[in-house]
Amino acid sequence: MITLKGERIVLRVLTDDDALAMTNLVSRNKHYWSVYEPRHDSSYYTVGVQREKIRESLQQLREKREYSFGIFRAEDGRLIGHISLYGLKRLPFLSAFVGYSVDQGEAGRGIATEALKLVLRFGFERAGMHRIEAYVSPRNQASVRVLEKAGMEREGLLRQLLFINGVWEDHYLYAILEDSH
């Protein structure tokens, strides 16, 4: 399994053994994360569904189509978020998207920025990507700061890109190139 170590966090591919911790994480942040992400039905917040999502992620990993990591505090091993490099495209693109969520109790401490920097390095150096992109709501200024601190640049506004909680939402497109990191 892939493990990426930072100063305060460890990124590790989730396994079946993490299903309960992941269920607790998504349940704890149900309302916090729903501001910028689609709401889920109640079954999403069960161990069975989270275990299935982890298994799907592992299959994507085997196919080298996605790299999904839990974000764990280095000091105590507690799961405090997740981050994924997904939608990998091979030549002629060599590109992928990155997405992340951090526990509300850990927000504002630089955890997402540290995790993003680790995944960007992994994406360029180990996954062989040339370009990594991210979508972010213009209303989500905390995440905009994370992307910019990690060296990503705003390339444009994608109008009515995602249908979130009954409304079509605009999103900025951010990107970074392998020679920029």
Side-chain angles (χ1 to χ4, degrees):
M1 284 296 142
I2 302 167
T3 301
L4 308 175
K5 295 183 179 178
E7 289 182 28
R8 296 174 297 152
I9 59 171
V10 173
L11 306 184
R12 176 178 57 73
V13 171
L14 297 169
T15 67
D16 276 7
D17 294 340
D18 297 308
L20 178 59
M22 191 63 184
T23 303
N24 291 335
L25 177 68
V26 296
S27 296
R28 207 170 44 244
N29 290 281
K30 180 179 184 176
H31 299 291
Y32 177 62
W33 290 346
S34 73
V35 174
Y36 303 112
E37 297 177 9
R39 290 186 189 98
H40 301 283
D41 64 39
S42 58
S43 66
Y44 179 82
Y45 303 96
T46 63
V47 174
V49 167
Q50 292 306 313
R51 182 175 292 114
E52 188 55 36
K53 288 182 70 48
I54 289 169
R55 288 177 179 167
E56 289 170 11
S57 227
L58 291 170
Q59 181 60 36
Q60 296 282 328
L61 173 66
R62 283 189 285 278
E63 297 169 4
K64 295 186 175 165
R65 294 173 53 205
E66 176 180 299
Y67 297 91
S68 190
F69 302 94
I71 303 171
F72 297 85
R73 277 199 309 225
E75 68 186 40
D76 61 8
R78 182 171 186 242
L79 179 64
I80 57 170
H82 57 87
I83 186 166
S84 296
L85 190 65
Y86 66 94
L88 275 75
K89 294 179 188 169
R90 300 298 169 195
L91 283 173
F93 298 99
L94 288 181
S95 66
F97 283 94
V98 65
Y100 49 86
S101 295
V102 172
D103 188 287
Q104 182 175 12
E106 301 290 335
R109 297 181 182 175
I111 299 298
T113 302
E114 185 175 346
L116 180 55
K117 287 178 178 179
L118 288 169
V119 165
L120 292 175
R121 185 176 324 122
F122 172 84
F124 293 127
E125 295 176 4
R126 293 178 55 189
M129 295 294 102
H130 170 70
R131 175 184 173 88
I132 299 175
E133 304 173 348
Y135 295 140
V136 62
S137 168
R139 297 181 295 112
N140 190 347
Q141 285 302 303
S143 194
V144 165
R145 283 191 302 278
V146 167
L147 296 170
E148 291 175 352
K149 284 182 192 173
M152 298 186 80
E153 294 182 28
R154 184 183 311 169
E155 293 189 339
L157 177 70
L158 304 171
R159 296 178 304 125
Q160 297 185 15
L161 177 70
L162 296 173
F163 192 70
I164 299 178
N165 305 320
V167 178
W168 283 103
E169 297 266 353
D170 294 348
H171 277 66
Y172 291 133
L173 171 64
Y174 273 76
I176 187 170
L177 304 176
E178 67 180 315
D179 58 4
S180 306
H181 87 283

